[in-house]
Structures are given as C-alpha cells and as structure tokens.
Amino acid sequence: ILTEDYNNVSLLSLAGVALVVFITFRSILVPILVIVPIEVAIYLNMTLPYVMGDSMIYIGYIIVSCLQLGATVDYSILMTNNYMDARRTYPEKARAIKHTVSRSALSILTSGTILTIAGYGLYFVSSVAAIGGLGHLIGRGALISVLMVLFLLPVLLTMADPLLMKEEAKKVRLEEVRLAARQ
C-alpha cells in the first residue's frame, strides 16, 4: 500500500508542478529541465540513508520527497526564467548562462540556506527521533537541491539551448501573427 501511495503521490506532485510550469512558460521542454535537478536531488537525498545504513520511517520518505519538490522547484524556475531573459539580451549562450547564475545564485542560496537551517534546526533540537530524522532529510534535501540547481541546471540549460531557442522563436512568431491579426 505504501509503495503504491508513494508512486501515486509522487506522480501527482510531478504532474502538478509540470502543468504549472508548462502553463507559465508555454513550453514542453522547460518543465522537464526544471524538474530534473530537483528529482536528482530527491533521489540522492533518499539514497543516502540506504547507503549509510540508516533507518528511516517510510512515511517520512513520502513527506520529505513532496516537500523537497514543492519547496525547491522554485530555484529551478527562477534560474530558467533568468536564463530565458538573458538569452534575449545575450546572443552567446555561454555569456547568458554566466549572467544567469550570477543573477540567480544569491536568491537560491538565501532561500536554500533558510530551508537547510530550518531542517537541521529541527534535527538538532527535537527530542523525538522520527521528527529529528525528518528535519535531517529536509535540511540535507534543501542543500542538495541548491547544489543541483546551481551546478546541474546550467549544464542542462546550455545543452537544451537550441531547442529552447526554437520554442522561443515560435512563440515570437505566433505573437507577431496575433498582433497582425488584431490590426
């Protein structure tokens, strides 16, 4: 039952996030790019207890996975949005990604540090082992998510740049057609 519940909750969470990002960016590729670093971070966060031989309450896995996705996907969205803006200004993708990381890093680090400290605060303060374990997972998950967004997402954006720019050009042409039709 728990495995089925986790799969259902996870798929619903991913679909919800992907739908919102799709509607916002009007792109099929962007939701994938936004979600991949966070899902990698969730996988790493949940794999570490197994590798280290730590036990974990299964319900914690479900809670922290969804919390980590919902709380940290904004980092990816911010960076992707800044990259799309930078590509309108800078024709070279290398310059655009440098600008994007420098523009996004402070906000991502600030938000990620707050979530990491809150999670580890719970871990160190709680006298209940299960709650402390959740705090540890939340804090470590936030830290891993920040690292994935700052280091993996720029690589993914750079690799996907030709497809992103094709989608962007189609949007511009469509908008021009709409404007022409109004006149």
Side-chain angles (χ1 to χ4, degrees), residues 75 107-117 139 142-143 146:
Y75 311 158
S107 296
I108 292 168
L109 287 169
T110 301
S111 181
T113 301
I114 290 168
L115 188 56
T116 300
I117 289 171
L143 179 62
V146 166

Side-chain angles (χ1 to χ4, degrees), residues 73-94:
V73 75
D74 292 342
Y75 311 158
S76 288
I77 293 169
L78 172 69
M79 185 168 289
T80 302
N81 191 48
N82 285 341
Y83 181 73
M84 298 305 287
D85 288 345
R87 281 298 276 137
R88 289 182 196 103
T89 306
Y90 302 108
E92 315 87 27
K93 62 183 174 183

Side-chain angles (χ1 to χ4, degrees), residues 79 82-83 86 95-105 157:
M79 185 168 289
N82 285 341
Y83 181 73
R95 188 164 178 208
I97 200 68
K98 286 177 187 175
H99 176 78
T100 299
V101 172
S102 68
R103 188 168 175 208
S104 307
L157 289 169

Side-chain angles (χ1 to χ4, degrees), residues 142-153:
L143 179 62
I144 295 170
S145 290
V146 166
L147 294 173
M148 289 296 108
V149 170
L150 289 176
F151 294 103
L152 177 60
L153 185 55

